[in-house]
Amino acid sequence: MALFKRNKVLKEDPATGLGNNGNTVGTRYYRKDGSANVHKRGLKLLDRFSWYHTMLEMPRWKFWLSILLVFILINTIFASIYLWIGKEDMAGMEKGPFWIQFSEAFFFSAQTFTTVGYGRLNPVGFWSGLVASFEAFLGLLSFALATGLLYGRFSHPQAFLRFSEKALIAPYKDGRGLMIRLSPYKNNHLTDVEVKLTLGLRFIEEGKPVNRFYPLGVELAQINTLFLNWTIVHAINEKSALYQLSAEELRNLKAELIVFVKAFDETFSNTVVARTSYAADEFLFGHRFLSMYHQSEDGESTILELDLLNATEEVALPPVIPPSTEYNPGG
């Protein structure tokens, strides 16, 4: 098979940090959001789970929901403890059904936890006073942690880049090219932006699946600044690992395009990174990107339409050498 012969000739990327044994990896190395597609086992949960990193990286709605649920859980536990100690240890608690007493204990717990202390209810016994003192101490620590997490989320350097959902195979010069598009979606300013593309293919060698990784050169590997969109282009020629590959062959070879982007953020004065990957079914043949930006009506500025990041149109692809033709590195 020509593809098998070409994989012996093309230069591989030895520095991916990804395994070559095809039996030991899942369907892809990276998810679309750039996170590693790995589930770690073999250690206790607290030894392999960093709650701090999780709280910093989780979506905003999950973060606030987690904070709210923890707040409700803590006050529910302390309200139950106050009721278990006995309402006679709580001065000012009204008589009534259980849910009224529980709600009063819950709100007293919330006031103690936040150190507000309105004063209508107050502990009069030793055990209730001890529990209230411990809860106030726990509240101070909890709000200090929550404040640190909030600061960490706001001050954490991020690239704020979005990638196109599809990797396109489009006409390029006299042949074909691989194209992906990215764009910053915040008002941050990125400079010295670098990109690296790696193509992973899975072959069958001596009856065993083997992963091979090939660097894909791009027309521009670095740009000075990025505040509009950037279409990254890899020319598909006889030196490319994508040469002669069809959509069906990409699926058969379980292809995955891995994209790494590194840039300098002037606001944070720090280096930021972003990454994503494209599986074989996320390659789109015979399409090209539409323009994302245009001049404003008054002609004074440029309008970047972020909702057009994935906008494409169909185009005719130039013919390529049939896949059955053997690869000749000499041309």
Side-chain angles (χ1 to χ4, degrees):
M1 181 179 178
L3 298 177
F4 181 84
K5 293 181 180 179
R6 285 173 48 224
N7 104 79
K8 297 288 188 179
V9 176
L10 293 173
K11 180 181 178 181
E12 296 186 34
D13 188 351
T16 61
L18 306 173
N20 288 329
N21 189 342
N23 285 320
T24 60
V25 297
T27 56
R28 62 194 304 167
Y29 291 96
Y30 290 95
R31 304 182 183 95
K32 289 297 290 182
D33 62 1
S35 60
N37 189 25
V38 176
H39 297 281
K40 298 180 181 179
R41 297 179 180 177
L43 293 176
K44 295 180 180 179
L45 179 63
L46 294 180
D47 291 334
R48 56 185 170 85
F49 177 79
S50 172
W51 67 270
Y52 179 74
H53 286 85
T54 302
M55 294 295 288
L56 289 183
E57 298 294 338
M58 68 172 47
R60 188 180 296 109
W61 71 270
K62 287 187 177 181
F63 174 80
W64 288 110
L65 180 61
S66 300
I67 295 294
L68 178 61
L69 291 178
V70 169
F71 180 79
I72 294 174
L73 177 62
I74 291 176
N75 286 287
T76 299
I77 293 173
F78 276 99
S80 302
I81 294 176
Y82 291 129
L83 290 180
W84 178 74
I85 292 174
K87 63 180 181 180
E88 62 274 4
D89 276 21
M90 300 295 297
M93 180 174 287
E94 297 180 358
K95 296 181 179 180
F98 173 79
W99 69 270
I100 292 181
Q101 294 183 3
F102 181 83
S103 64
E104 289 217 333
F106 180 89
F107 291 126
F108 169 76
S109 172
Q111 294 158 17
T112 304
F113 186 74
T114 58
T115 68
V116 173
Y118 289 116
R120 189 178 70 82
L121 268 67
N122 61 285
V124 294
F126 172 78
W127 291 110
S128 60
L130 181 64
V131 172
S133 299
F134 175 74
E135 184 179 10
F137 173 73
L138 182 63
L140 291 174
L141 295 180
S142 299
F143 277 92
L145 288 174
T147 302
L149 289 172
L150 280 172
Y151 175 78
R153 288 179 65 91
F154 280 111
S155 62
H156 178 56
Q158 299 183 54
F160 295 114
L161 291 175
R162 287 187 178 176
F163 297 86
S164 58
E165 294 179 357
K166 301 290 185 179
L168 306 186
I169 305 297
Y172 180 66
K173 295 184 177 180
D174 295 330
R176 299 184 178 188
L178 168 71
M179 301 182 186
I180 62 173
R181 186 156 69 176
L182 57 90
S183 177
Y185 61 94
K186 296 282 189 179
N187 57 338
N188 57 328
H189 193 187
L190 301 179
T191 59
D192 298 327
V193 189
E194 302 177 19
V195 65
K196 180 179 180 181
L197 304 183
T198 301
L199 180 68
L201 300 175
R202 188 172 301 179
F203 297 93
I204 302 298
E205 298 181 3
E206 299 179 357
K208 297 180 180 180
V210 177
N211 297 318
R212 303 289 183 185
F213 300 95
Y214 304 99
L216 300 182
V218 297
E219 293 297 292
L220 284 176
Q222 180 176 359
I223 58 176
N224 296 331
T225 185
L226 177 60
F227 55 85
L228 294 173
N229 65 275
W230 183 16
T231 301
I232 301 168
V233 180
H234 162 71
I236 301 177
N237 51 36
E238 62 275 6
K239 298 180 181 180
S240 169
L242 287 171
Y243 186 58
Q244 299 180 341
L245 293 185
S246 64
E248 181 180 0
E249 288 167 331
L250 287 175
R251 289 190 292 268
N252 293 337
L253 293 171
K254 301 185 184 302
E256 180 177 355
L257 175 65
I258 304 172
V259 184
F260 294 94
V261 178
K262 182 173 66 173
F264 182 80
D265 190 302
E266 293 184 351
T267 302
F268 291 107
S269 189
N270 206 338
T271 299
V272 293
V273 297
R275 55 186 172 267
T276 189
S277 78
Y278 297 87
D281 57 356
E282 293 167 338
F283 283 74
L284 190 59
F285 282 70
H287 282 73
R288 66 182 177 188
F289 289 114
L290 297 177
S291 178
M292 285 182 62
Y293 57 89
H294 56 85
Q295 191 180 77
S296 62
E297 294 181 0
D298 58 8
E300 295 295 328
S301 60
T302 302
I303 305 298
L304 179 63
E305 305 286 356
L306 293 173
D307 57 338
L308 296 180
L309 179 64
N310 299 301
T312 63
E313 64 178 358
E314 291 190 36
V315 291
L317 286 175
V320 296
I321 302 175
S324 59
T325 304
E326 292 193 5
Y327 172 69
N328 180 8

